[in-house]
């Protein structure tokens, strides 16, 4: 059997395999490029969502939180916090304003960021928009 396996057969497997997976790669890239605009509902990005993203970045929320899985694992996932808080922007704003909660042994608390009413509205709009991205039902449970 080993004698029947020639150099040219090995070369064909190499080139054939390379070509096959290159074509799979091209196909998946085209598929992703077509899918993304439908999934990220970018047409709903308004001024408040943009402001919220800026507040998110300026305050380094990602330094403690994950957003759709990306970020730090110190604090809860926020990609679906809007749904977790009962589809309520007011609940998100109220939570952020009421921090920190100190004096409970062993419990982490988020610091106070002293955001303005407009910044709070922006962050709530940004987190609402994020929760509406079609992530194929990720995260798999409401806790994040
Ligand atoms: C220093 C770390 C830290 C940073 C930075 C931080 N957070 Fe938090 N955050 C926490 C912790 C810890 C909790 C959970 C404990 C608590 O109740 O405070 C939390 C909880 C939350 C929750 C509630 C999540 C839930 O499911 O209960 C929201 C909403 C939130 N943070 C938003 C933000 C936003 C918006 C920013 C940026 C402006 C931010 N966080 C920055 C540490 C942080």
């Amino acid at each position: 059997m080993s004698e029947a396996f020639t150099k040219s057969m090995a070369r064909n497997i190499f080139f054939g395999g390379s070509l096959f997976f290159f074509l799979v790669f091209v196909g998946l890239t085209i598929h992703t490029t077509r899918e993304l605009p439908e999934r990220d509902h970018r047409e709903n990005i308004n001024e408040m969502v943009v402001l919220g993203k800026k507040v998110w970045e300026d305050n380094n929320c990602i330094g403690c939180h994950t957003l759709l899985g990306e970020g730090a694992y110190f604090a809860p996932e926020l990609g679906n916090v809007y749904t977790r808080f009962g589809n309520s922007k007011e609940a998100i704003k109220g939570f952020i304003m009421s921090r920190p909660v100190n004096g409970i042994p062993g419990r982490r608390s988020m610091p106070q960021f002293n955001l303005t009413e407009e910044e709070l509205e922006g962050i709530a709009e940004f987190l609402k928009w994020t929760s509406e991205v079609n992530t194929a039902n990720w995260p798999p449970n409401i806790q994040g």
Side-chain angles (χ1 to χ4, degrees):
M1 188 63 201
S2 60
E3 284 161 11
F5 191 72
T6 62
K7 259 190 177 179
S8 78
M9 283 165 78
R11 194 182 302 124
N12 288 346
I13 289 172
F14 172 72
F15 284 120
S18 300
L19 181 68
F20 175 75
F21 283 107
F22 180 71
L23 291 177
V24 169
F25 174 72
V26 170
L28 287 174
T29 304
I30 292 171
H31 180 256
T32 303
T33 315
R34 283 196 183 156
E35 281 270 303
L36 276 183
E38 288 168 32
R39 284 180 167 238
D40 66 12
H41 69 110
R42 58 187 69 171
E43 66 280 4
N44 294 333
I45 299 177
N46 56 33
E47 273 176 23
M48 288 317 274
V49 176
V50 173
L51 172 71
K53 180 155 187 288
K54 183 160 176 5
V55 174
W56 173 268
E57 282 165 9
D58 288 350
N59 292 283
N60 192 28
C61 309
I62 206 93
C64 291
H65 290 274
T66 49
L67 191 67
L68 301 181
E70 292 284 337
Y73 293 103
F74 181 74
E77 160 70 42
L78 295 184
N80 61 346
V81 73
Y82 177 73
T83 0
R84 182 156 65 243
F85 279 15
N87 295 334
S88 165
K89 289 195 296 180
E90 290 312 311
I92 292 178
K93 288 156 73 170
F95 180 94
I96 296 172
M97 283 190 291
S98 67
R99 299 297 104 173
V101 174
N102 292 323
I104 306 172
R107 189 183 191 283
R108 300 169 184 176
S109 179
M110 185 161 113
Q112 178 52 243
F113 287 94
N114 298 312
L115 302 177
T116 64
E117 176 56 35
E118 198 188 14
E119 289 170 332
L120 281 168
E121 181 65 23
I123 218 48
E125 280 288 341
F126 173 64
L127 292 174
K128 174 176 184 290
W129 179 85
T130 310
S131 77
E132 289 160 358
V133 171
N134 177 356
T135 57
N137 294 328
W138 196 93
N141 56 45
I142 196 71
Q143 288 82 21

